[in-house]
């Protein structure tokens, strides 16, 4: 997978963080300095879960020492399947008439920790899928920096929107996030089929 794929995945996951922090920031407004620390902490946990997922995906992926590309198409299809699972988890709540999305208190550290791990499940699943699709030696910088930067910037933006009660169209942003993720997964399948 190219660095562009990692950046697009990071943007999509960052959009999900923006929607999450917008909801939570409106329900429990916090000072921007405390909010920034919260966003950074959640982002670090998400990056850690993403990296653990990538390592697990590399361990679980199909590999042949004789021909390293032999199972690349199968691994890409597994990545597509993991992406579809994440898409359904992200999009289905927004398709209801009156979506009841989870809201966590940003003033309580236990609630913030629960927020980080509850929302980190999608990040972990995407990491496992990426590990299947990209079984190179160790692209830690491609994994770490795009997701960390996108999560911090978009999550903080969402927090500011929530404090100011700026109206977003969460369904549209969730659809954009899903399209980005699906585009990367389809590109991985197409590239693997061409080898």
């Amino acid at each position: 997978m190219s660095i562009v794929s990692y950046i697009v995945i990071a943007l999509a996951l960052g959009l999900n963080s923006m929607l999450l922090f917008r909801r939570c920031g409106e329900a429990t407004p916090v000072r921007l300095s405390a909010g920034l620390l919260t966003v950074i902490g959640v982002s670090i946990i998400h990056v850690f879960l993403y990296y653990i997922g990538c390592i697990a995906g590399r361990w679980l992926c199909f590999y042949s020492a004789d021909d390293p590309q032999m199972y690349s198409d199968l691994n890409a299809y597994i990545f597509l399947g993991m992406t579809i699972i994440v898409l359904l988890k992200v999009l289905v709540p927004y398709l209801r008439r009156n979506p009841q999305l989870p809201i966590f208190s940003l003033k309580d550290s236990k609630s913030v920790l629960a927020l980080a791990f509850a929302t980190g499940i999608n990040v972990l699943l995407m990491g496992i899928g990426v590990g299947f699709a990209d079984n190179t030696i160790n692209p830690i910088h491609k994994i770490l920096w795009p997701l960390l930067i996108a999560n911090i910037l978009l999550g903080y933006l969402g927090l500011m929107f929530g404090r100011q009660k700026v109206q977003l169209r969460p369904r549209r942003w969730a659809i954009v996030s899903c399209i980005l993720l699906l585009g990367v997964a389809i590109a991985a399948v197409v590239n693997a089929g061409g080898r």
Side-chain angles (χ1 to χ4, degrees):
M1 285 175 54
S2 67
I3 185 67
V4 174
S5 297
Y6 282 95
I7 291 171
V8 171
I9 291 171
L11 285 174
L13 296 175
L15 287 174
N16 292 337
S17 289
M18 180 182 76
L19 295 174
L20 172 71
F21 278 107
R22 193 247 170 257
R23 283 193 316 267
C24 297
E26 182 179 15
T28 57
V30 292
R31 289 192 339 263
L32 286 178
S33 56
L36 178 61
L37 291 176
T38 300
V39 171
I40 290 172
V42 170
S43 299
I44 289 170
I45 291 172
H46 281 187
V47 168
F48 176 73
L49 291 172
Y50 188 59
Y51 186 64
I52 293 296
C54 288
I55 291 172
R58 276 196 210 100
W59 284 344
L60 297 171
C61 75
F62 297 96
Y63 181 78
S64 171
D66 299 331
D67 182 8
Q69 302 300 324
M70 180 183 290
Y71 298 110
S72 61
D73 55 343
L74 180 61
N75 289 329
Y77 279 114
I78 293 172
F79 174 44
L80 178 62
M82 297 297 277
T83 302
I84 290 172
I85 291 170
V86 172
L87 296 184
L88 291 174
K89 288 184 68 188
V90 168
L91 201 54
V92 166
Y94 287 103
L95 297 179
R96 296 184 184 132
R97 186 177 301 270
N98 294 315
Q100 297 294 323
L101 299 161
I103 295 175
F104 298 87
S105 171
L106 298 179
K107 295 179 178 178
D108 180 26
S109 58
K110 291 179 183 175
S111 177
V112 170
L113 201 58
L115 173 149
F117 284 102
T119 58
I121 298 297
N122 290 342
V123 180
L124 177 69
L125 292 174
M126 280 306 300
I128 292 171
V130 167
F132 271 95
D134 187 5
N135 52 13
T136 54
I137 303 296
N138 193 8
I140 186 167
H141 295 293
K142 291 195 291 188
I143 293 168
L144 176 70
W145 300 115
L147 183 61
L148 186 64
I149 292 168
N151 246 16
I152 290 173
L153 292 179
L154 291 172
Y156 194 56
L157 183 66
L159 183 69
M160 289 190 290
F161 284 161
R163 288 184 75 236
Q164 298 296 323
K165 295 182 172 38
V166 174
Q167 292 302 315
L168 292 177
R169 295 181 183 261
R171 185 175 297 155
R172 286 187 185 173
W173 285 107
I175 290 171
V176 168
S177 169
C178 291
I179 289 171
L180 291 174
L181 291 175
L182 190 60
V184 171
I186 291 172
V189 169
V190 169
N191 289 339
R195 290 176 185 160

